[in-house]
Amino acid sequence: MSQGKRIVLASRPHGEPTSANFRLEDYTPPAPGAGEVLLRTIWLSLDPYMRGRMSEGPSYAAPVPIGGVMEGGTVSEVIASNNPGFAKGDIVLSRAGWQTHALSDGKGLAKVDPKLGPISTSIGVLGMPGMTAYTGLLDIGKPQPGETVVVAGASGAVGSAVGQIARIKGARAVGIAGGKDKCDYVVKELGFDACIDHRDPDLAARLKEACPKGIDVYFENVGGAVFEAVFPLLNPFARVPVCGLIAHYNDREARAPKWASSIMFAILTKRLTFRGFIVSDFAARHGDFLRDMSAWVRDGKVKYKEFVTEGLESAPGAFMGLLKGANFGKQLVRVGPDKA
């Protein structure tokens, strides 16, 4: 067995992560025991939630321990198997994390159907990000024909799918993204009705112009100044699926905004619905998601973009860039070739 590589959490970040928080290690991948399979990572997904796993505070999932392999979803090849459910050469979804090889007892593994699309899409538009968009928008946002749906992070893996699904359901889709190139892509390639650059000093005014009838659904990925621009435009009975708060992931301490009382007053008087969610809340919807999303992708109704860096060693830099919006599309790391 050739040498493997893994990236572990060397220290917990205070504020923005730095390269010193990660450590690249060499190791010898173990042979699989009874009932086990040995996986070789092909694709690694990088996602904003990983920043939370680097911190020690309470959350919906346990933090990565110091010295532990960084958390992450992967597409992997089975290269050795003592498990009757998996054969050498099978391509599977796994939670192998930031490493070239991993052992598994088979629990939690799912075979990837290459007929649905390139295998990388199983951790992108046909995977967790796509299902996050699908369930958060349809099960919480419940967009109706003619309503206005606004989504932050509109050129990213989740946001791009949200806006396209909104359009499929007959709603107006207004994106918020960082920079002219991303906004042009969101409108011209993905078919959003409008897209506002969150760097625009007149963000609030531009957003109001793009939403003349107010906002009925706001899919929250960002928080910060973007939320402050959105909030006054929420219509009575608006729904706000809260998926992420990337603007706050590097905050050194949690603090309520000065206008928290105004938020609560508006929630009461406008009868607003705010609901935070984790995609696993909707696990029972996976079959519906895969059926609908694969059909939409196949028919060209949902398009996607991948932002790929090469080699496991690139993961820390790519992840730090992701938190600053450097990616353009779904952030992936190509760890190894499709076939050994």
Side-chain angles (χ1 to χ4, degrees), residues 35-55:
E36 293 183 327
V37 297
L38 180 62
L39 305 174
R40 178 187 65 84
T41 304
I42 301 171
W43 292 100
L44 167 65
S45 174
L46 297 182
D47 301 281
Y49 77 84
M50 295 173 177
R51 174 61 184 84
R53 303 291 174 86
M54 298 175 74
S55 298

Side-chain angles (χ1 to χ4, degrees), residues 40-43 75 77 91 119 334-340:
R40 178 187 65 84
T41 304
I42 301 171
W43 292 100
V75 178
E77 179 188 9
I91 304 299
I119 61 174
R334 194 196 315 269
V335 178
D338 282 4
K339 285 290 183 179

Side-chain angles (χ1 to χ4, degrees), residues 154-218:
S155 67
V158 174
S160 61
V162 167
Q164 293 179 89
I165 297 171
R167 292 279 294 159
I168 289 169
K169 297 300 180 179
R172 291 188 70 247
V174 176
I176 302 172
K180 184 178 185 301
D181 289 346
K182 290 182 178 180
C183 285
D184 285 347
Y185 167 74
V186 165
V187 173
K188 296 176 182 178
E189 295 295 324
L190 302 185
F192 282 49
D193 295 278
C195 188
I196 312 302
D197 185 350
H198 70 75
R199 301 169 184 165
D200 191 318
D202 295 320
L203 169 63
R206 300 287 84 77
L207 185 61
K208 187 174 182 179
E209 289 172 2
C211 304
K213 296 182 180 180
I215 297 170
D216 301 292
V217 181
Y218 173 52

Side-chain angles (χ1 to χ4, degrees), residues 3-9 22-30 41 67-70 96-102 312-313 315-316 335:
Q3 281 291 98
K5 294 182 181 296
R6 61 193 175 202
I7 294 176
V8 303
L9 182 63
F22 306 94
R23 184 172 65 247
L24 178 66
E25 297 180 345
D26 294 321
Y27 70 104
T28 300
T41 304
V69 176
M70 281 291 296
W98 297 23
Q99 56 186 341
T100 58
H101 300 80
L312 183 66
E313 297 87 346
V335 178

Side-chain angles (χ1 to χ4, degrees), residues 83-321:
N83 185 310
F86 299 92
K88 183 179 179 181
D90 282 349
I91 304 299
V92 296
L93 278 177
S94 70
R95 304 294 303 177
W98 297 23
Q99 56 186 341
T100 58
H101 300 80
L103 277 182
S104 171
D105 61 6
K107 294 178 182 176
L109 298 185
K111 293 181 183 179
V112 173
D113 183 357
K115 295 177 183 177
L116 295 179
I119 61 174
S120 60
T121 60
S122 63
I123 48 174
V125 68
L126 299 181
M128 182 273 288
M131 186 167 167
T132 299
Y134 178 92
T135 56
L137 180 64
L138 299 183
D139 290 46
I140 301 174
K142 301 182 185 299
Q144 302 301 308
E147 288 191 328
T148 296
V149 174
V150 172
V151 58
S155 67
V158 174
S160 61
V162 167
Q164 293 179 89
I165 297 171
R167 292 279 294 159
I168 289 169
K169 297 300 180 179
R172 291 188 70 247
V174 176
I176 302 172
K180 184 178 185 301
D181 289 346
K182 290 182 178 180
C183 285
D184 285 347
Y185 167 74
V186 165
V187 173
K188 296 176 182 178
E189 295 295 324
L190 302 185
F192 282 49
D193 295 278
C195 188
I196 312 302
D197 185 350
H198 70 75
R199 301 169 184 165
D200 191 318
D202 295 320
L203 169 63
R206 300 287 84 77
L207 185 61
K208 187 174 182 179
E209 289 172 2
C211 304
K213 296 182 180 180
I215 297 170
D216 301 292
V217 181
Y218 173 52
F219 197 103
E220 175 65 287
N221 288 318
V222 174
V226 172
F227 175 73
E228 294 180 15
V230 166
F231 187 72
L233 301 178
L234 292 176
N235 287 329
F237 301 102
R239 291 81 68 197
V240 183
V242 181
C243 171
L245 296 166
I246 196 168
H248 302 288
Y249 288 166
N250 292 323
D251 288 355
R252 292 177 179 267
E253 60 183 55
R255 53 187 181 274
K258 294 178 181 178
W259 43 288
S261 59
S262 299
I263 295 176
M264 294 303 293
F265 189 78
I267 289 173
L268 171 62
T269 58
K270 288 187 175 182
R271 289 85 85 206
L272 305 176
T273 297
F274 280 69
R275 179 175 166 187
F277 75 102
I278 309 300
V279 66
S280 57
D281 297 343
F282 300 102
R285 292 273 275 144
H286 186 260
D288 296 333
F289 155 70
L290 206 55
R291 178 198 64 223
D292 291 344
M293 188 66 91
S294 62
W296 292 335
V297 170
R298 184 172 59 250
D299 295 342
K301 294 180 178 179
V302 170
K303 300 176 182 179
Y304 65 93
K305 190 179 187 71
E306 296 176 335
F307 192 81
V308 178
T309 61
E310 300 288 342
L312 183 66
E313 297 87 346
S314 72
F319 176 66
M320 290 184 284

